[in-house]
Amino acid sequence: MELISILLLVFPFLGFLTIGLFQKQMNRNISGILASAFIFINLILSGFLFWHVSFSNQTVETQLFDWIKFADISIPFALTIDRLAALMLLIVNGVGLLIHIYSIGYMKGDAGVNRFFSYMNLFVFFMLILVLSSNYLMLFIGWEGVGLSSYLLIGFWYKDHANNDAAKKAFIMNRIGDLGFLIGIFILFITFKTLSISEIADKASLMPSGDLTLMAITICLFIGAMGKSAQIPLFTWLPDAMAGPTPVSALIHAATMVTAGIYLVARSSVLFVLSPVTMNIILVIGAITALIGGLIAIYQNDIKKILAYSTVSQLGFMFMALGLGSFSGAMFHLTTHAFFKALLFLAAGSVIHALSNEQDIRKMGGLRKKIPFTFALFIIGTIAISGIPPFAGFFSKEVILTAAFEHGMGMGMLTTFISLLTTIYMFRLIFVVFFKAESKEIRANHHVHESPKVMLYPMAVLAVLSVIGGFIQLPKLFSETQGFDNYLSPVFEKATGLVSVSGTALDLRTEWMIFSIPLLFIALLIFLSYKRFVNEKEFIAPTGIQKLLSNKFYFDEIYDFLIVKPLGFISAFFRGILDQTIINGFVNAVGSVTLFAGKKLRLLQTGNVGFYLILMVFSIIAILFFNIIL
């Protein structure tokens, strides 16, 4: 098993090197197949490891070499595969494989397709390092690696300056969160004298709940998670990251990289449960992010931006689960979300592909008859993310809603409201794109076509997973066996044993209320959305609160006013005063003085030997005089 865990890193890195080094010589049709083959091998290996870890209940530990070792410091390059890591392996490699295959059709004909697939394999390599790391420093390497890969993929079409700006924005905003993560790592090492995740968990479990050091550590780690998982205020990079190719949006910004923050908090569950203040901060930040992301998504008109803000909202929903202490609930929703959100992004890519790169939903309509397979798959993804039974999203959302109501009626109602926002923006998207009367652009476009099979088949697999994925854990009303919770219980056993993270147990009436009332509201919202958007003759310019939401609460403008422009002003001031006037002035003055002195001194070079002798005599006399005085 140790060899298999090493090979998990070897194959995607080998794919990156092979395709990257020989991209100019390699046939464009080969790179996608080769990159997909490496991820397929990884998926098979992940399946073996998942089976072994699940049924043997053993953790696979693999130490490759001593990475940093001096004095009492020992940080190995080691891999740890427990049930949580095994689950993430299936998600990263499974969803990653489907997106790689889809990309073969989507990126066909692109001049940089070989470079694209080398970047995709590089991303998977760093994501696996993040997931398999046995210590926080190694995890940080994977953390930074996925940030680098994200930068390369978002700015893939670099000839468009807007794409470069989006890539830089994502990179810089993530560095803000990463600084917090790095400070947290420093405090961890100072406190525990080790960076091993398991050793830190053992030592931290002996500390009292509410310890200030643990609070500082967990807040720093959460700041890192906020950046990577796009939580307010570090969330504006994710919608702009839609500048990259659509498969990039599906892989990085739906199923893998943005969930790294969720994984970090879940992996560090012992630390977080011992810091109630941090848990409350996570709950509040998650709720605000989920609410704001859902509200903004309702009034967006770019098909990918709607899904991007949906991702922001769903990530906030997962952080709410973490803040409520439902670690397995957050991971359950992370798993189902990987299925239906990847499906929705790929289906959106299919729509964009059919319409020759058009992304504005106001220029669509009536597409259900022109691209029926994409329409059917889009419907499945929409039903799943809206939490309608028996699709996957219903089961994972039900777990989080139950945890919220156990925390209190007010929290339960807020969580239900946030969940219902999903229905509004997703069915608005469905009705406008597929049911509304054809726009003039669609009527004029005679080349609307269904996507090739290489794009449809991966979406079909994701659709199946979006339908059946939730059955791994049925609601408590229908089954006493909680499959997903039981699977992850050994991972979170120590954390749940330290502090009680569940609230008041719900009675049967409340459980039925959680089950039924949201479904009634979902049905009502679907009906109202149909009446509102299908028969709409033309799009009305938003006003009032609608304008506020369509302009994304003016977050970018506020950041530009409060941060970008002041920094630009300060930079220009110091450039003009400090750099150009003082520093450059001093350097230029030294040069000018040197030139002036040189011009004057060279006049002494007369070529007269007698003059040189007189200077020598006077110099000797001056030296003797100064020696006598001193």
Side-chain angles (χ1 to χ4, degrees), residues 140-151:
F140 187 73
I141 298 298
W143 191 273
E144 292 299 295
V146 294
L148 170 64
S149 305
S150 174
Y151 170 78

Side-chain angles (χ1 to χ4, degrees), residues 3-19:
L3 177 61
I4 293 178
S5 60
I6 296 171
L7 291 176
L8 284 171
L9 299 180
V10 170
F11 285 116
F13 189 68
L14 184 62
F16 161 68
L17 287 180
T18 304
I19 300 170

Side-chain angles (χ1 to χ4, degrees), residues 428-446:
R428 170 182 179 260
L429 175 60
I430 284 289
F431 292 140
V432 170
V433 172
F434 295 101
F435 285 87
K436 191 175 182 290
E438 294 179 3
S439 65
K440 59 183 180 181
E441 289 83 3
I442 295 295
R443 288 193 294 269
N445 187 349
H446 301 293

Side-chain angles (χ1 to χ4, degrees), residues 361-374:
I361 64 173
R362 292 171 296 185
K363 298 178 181 180
M364 302 179 188
L367 292 179
R368 70 184 186 279
K369 296 179 181 178
K370 295 182 179 293
I371 46 174
F373 291 105
T374 298

